[in-house]
Amino acid sequence: MTLYEELKARGLIAQVTDEEEISELINNGKATFYIGFDPTADSLHVGHFMALCLMKRMQMAGNRPIALIGGGTGMIGDPSGRTDMRQMMTPETIQHNCDCFKKQMSKFIDFSEGKALMVNNADWLLKLNYIELLREVGACFSVNNMLRAECYKNRMEKGLSFLEFNYMIMQSYDFYALYQKYGCQMQFGGDDQWSNMLGGTELIRKKLGKDAYAMTITLLLNSEGNKMGKTAKGAVWLDPNKTSPYEFYQYWRNVGDADVIKCLKMLTFLPLEEIETMESWEGSQLNRAKEILAYELTALVHSREEAEKAQETARALFSSGGAAEMPTCTLTEADLEDGRIDILSILVKSGLCTSRGDARRNVQQGGVEADGEKVTDIALSFDGEKLTGDGIVVKRGKKNFRRIVME
């Protein structure tokens, strides 16, 4: 099986402009390709995970990835998938986020000896002269075609700013600049980016003539992956200071039954033949598949050692209610009232519940335990002495635990 065939078998490819040429370049390890990452936070999240795994796969086959950090486009904001305008960030915040991205990406991609590049589109976008851009680039775009793009159509009713309307042109110019600077002939992106990507391909062909040949390819579930990065309590980050290795492991351990095989194919580096044997698994076997998924991804993002710890902790919690290691909420004297703290406050401060009302409902519905005993009284409280040393283990639902200790 060729690399291109494997990417299709893993469910990673949705659309391409020039399949024969793309497959030939990829299979022969001759593709220089880019994927863009806008620095909207100081950490990548699981929505970026698929793109990073794809870049790693491609590099392992000899292709050269370019990680494009959107220091310039981040000042505008991508309207794709948005119902409102993104909050504007300061240049200082954008630069800080770019620096954080570089550190995290190096865990997936080998940037040594020209094997990969990491560039920032601020290097060329911030230098553009507006009139020159309108003449040289704007003339290549049809407003009618742009308005038909899904990323704009979805925003027309609620309002689309002129600032955001420029995003497609900026992203298209990125491909044009990368093609000229680094010989980048291929771009990857999520299915929600298809219109923007086509804009870049057409810009290169219009500006540089028929001899210039640029190609695009989209990932089947990258936009879904961005949604996967969001939970009721926020994002699942790749930064261990934001999402601990245990929480990261649990996120994948709790993936839906219908998604586990799909995630194994798209995100792990296990052989397809091995994954296909799991497709008939049910019940406890399917839970084993989820453990494999969680372990492999935690090892990839954090380390084998952290994956072992997370798996040991999860198994200990499910089997006996104990834990070798788990997320901990540390309280101080300021959190106590008259030397005590009630269960509702503990649930909120630990992040197990989003509000006191949410905490009250969980207790009343029998979904809360403290040190293995079901909590039935919403007025239950603990003194500071009880929380010193090993503290207590609080459980909400079947799979959410926190150790509560005093500082």
Side-chain angles (χ1 to χ4, degrees):
M1 181 182 293
T2 66
L3 174 60
Y4 185 75
E5 289 171 340
E6 182 179 353
L7 295 180
K8 292 181 70 175
R10 287 182 179 272
L12 287 169
I13 295 178
Q15 299 179 82
V16 298
T17 55
D18 307 271
E19 186 168 46
E20 183 177 345
E21 291 83 356
I22 287 173
S23 61
E24 182 178 352
L25 282 172
I26 288 176
N27 294 336
N28 292 319
K30 297 185 179 301
T32 295
F33 68 97
Y34 94 91
I35 299 181
F37 301 82
D38 272 354
T40 55
D42 59 0
S43 172
L44 298 164
H45 57 68
V46 300
H48 301 112
F49 199 35
M50 186 185 303
L52 294 171
C53 290
L54 175 68
M55 295 174 86
K56 184 178 179 71
R57 271 185 226 282
M58 292 278 288
Q59 186 180 54
M60 290 169 63
N63 298 288
R64 183 172 68 153
I66 298 177
L68 177 64
I69 307 297
T73 43
M75 293 189 176
I76 296 177
D78 185 1
S80 300
R82 301 283 299 185
T83 58
D84 56 1
M85 185 173 169
R86 293 183 187 274
Q87 183 177 355
M88 297 287 285
M89 297 184 294
T90 65
E92 293 76 17
T93 298
I94 291 173
Q95 185 58 52
H96 171 71
N97 293 350
C98 289
D99 293 339
C100 294
F101 277 23
K102 289 181 182 179
K103 183 178 179 180
Q104 291 181 342
M105 286 181 182
S106 295
K107 292 183 178 181
F108 295 83
I109 304 164
D110 181 4
F111 289 100
S112 66
E113 301 174 357
K115 294 178 181 177
L117 297 174
M118 183 176 293
V119 297
N120 189 328
N121 63 15
D123 293 344
W124 54 82
L125 291 181
L126 298 189
K127 298 175 183 177
L128 287 174
N129 175 282
Y130 186 61
I131 299 299
E132 180 183 358
L133 178 69
L134 289 178
R135 286 176 57 87
E136 299 299 319
V137 179
C140 298
F141 287 82
S142 162
V143 171
N144 290 344
N145 289 339
M146 292 173 71
L147 291 176
R148 283 194 285 269
E150 289 298 320
C151 61
Y152 292 144
K153 284 170 60 179
N154 295 337
R155 287 288 305 280
M156 291 303 292
E157 290 186 7
K158 291 193 174 183
L160 176 71
S161 72
F162 180 72
L163 179 73
E164 295 171 293
F165 190 63
N166 282 269
Y167 191 90
M168 181 185 292
I169 295 177
M170 296 294 97
Q171 183 171 329
S172 299
Y173 191 85
D174 283 343
F175 195 17
Y176 176 65
L178 291 171
Y179 182 93
Q180 291 187 298
K181 289 175 178 287
Y182 307 109
C184 177
Q185 76 275 61
M186 194 179 302
Q187 56 181 332
F188 284 72
D191 56 350
D192 59 335
Q193 295 292 313
W194 185 243
S195 297
N196 293 344
M197 294 166 67
L198 288 179
T201 297
E202 291 304 310
L203 176 61
I204 290 174
R205 295 177 181 179
K206 287 179 179 179
K207 293 294 296 179
L208 302 180
K210 62 181 181 180
D211 293 334
Y213 211 72
M215 293 167 279
T216 58
I217 190 169
T218 67
L219 308 185
L220 179 59
L221 293 171
N222 199 29
S223 58
E224 181 176 317
N226 286 326
K227 297 172 186 175
M228 284 179 9
K230 307 295 183 181
T231 69
K233 298 172 188 173
V236 178
W237 304 101
L238 305 191
D239 183 345
N241 295 316
K242 289 177 172 287
T243 299
S244 72
Y246 172 79
E247 291 171 314
F248 188 84
Y249 177 95
Q250 282 298 95
Y251 174 81
W252 296 108
R253 173 62 180 80
N254 296 333
V255 74
D257 291 356
D259 294 327
V260 61
I261 299 300
K262 180 170 61 179
C263 290
L264 281 164
K265 288 182 177 180
M266 293 189 298
L267 303 176
T268 75
F269 289 81
L270 297 175
L272 272 173
E273 296 80 5
E274 182 178 340
I275 298 172
E276 287 168 354
T277 63
M278 304 180 198
E279 291 181 340
S280 60
W281 288 7
E282 297 178 352
S284 60
Q285 281 187 312
L286 195 56
N287 287 331
R288 173 57 183 151
K290 294 180 183 181
E291 282 192 336
I292 293 171
L293 172 69
Y295 178 88
E296 290 294 328
L297 299 190
T298 305
L300 184 61
V301 172
H302 298 293
S303 70
R304 290 283 170 189
E305 181 182 4
E306 292 294 346
E308 293 284 355
K309 290 180 181 178
Q311 190 168 76
E312 178 185 353
T313 297
R315 288 176 175 175
L317 289 171
F318 286 114
S319 62
S320 63
E325 179 187 19
M326 74 176 72
T328 298
C329 172
T330 303
L331 303 177
T332 66
E333 290 292 335
D335 295 312
L336 306 182
E337 186 173 344
D338 296 329
R340 303 184 69 85
I341 184 169
D342 64 82
I343 187 64
L344 301 187
S345 296
I346 287 176
L347 288 167
V348 174
K349 290 181 182 295
S350 66
L352 287 170
C353 292
T354 57
S355 66
R356 289 184 66 85
D358 182 32
R360 183 181 295 107
R361 284 191 296 274
N362 274 273
V363 171
Q364 291 172 337
Q365 293 169 3
V368 176
E369 292 181 8
D371 276 350
E373 295 186 8
K374 182 171 291 188
V375 177
T376 58
D377 182 4
I378 61 172
L380 176 68
S381 64
F382 304 88
D383 59 33
E385 184 177 353
K386 174 70 174 176
L387 302 177
T388 57
D390 291 337
I392 62 173
V393 175
V394 177
K395 174 183 174 184
R396 180 188 66 78
K398 294 182 178 180
K399 303 177 181 179
N400 299 290
F401 298 79
R402 292 290 189 280
R403 184 175 296 282
I404 312 298
V405 299
M406 284 293 297
E407 188 175 58

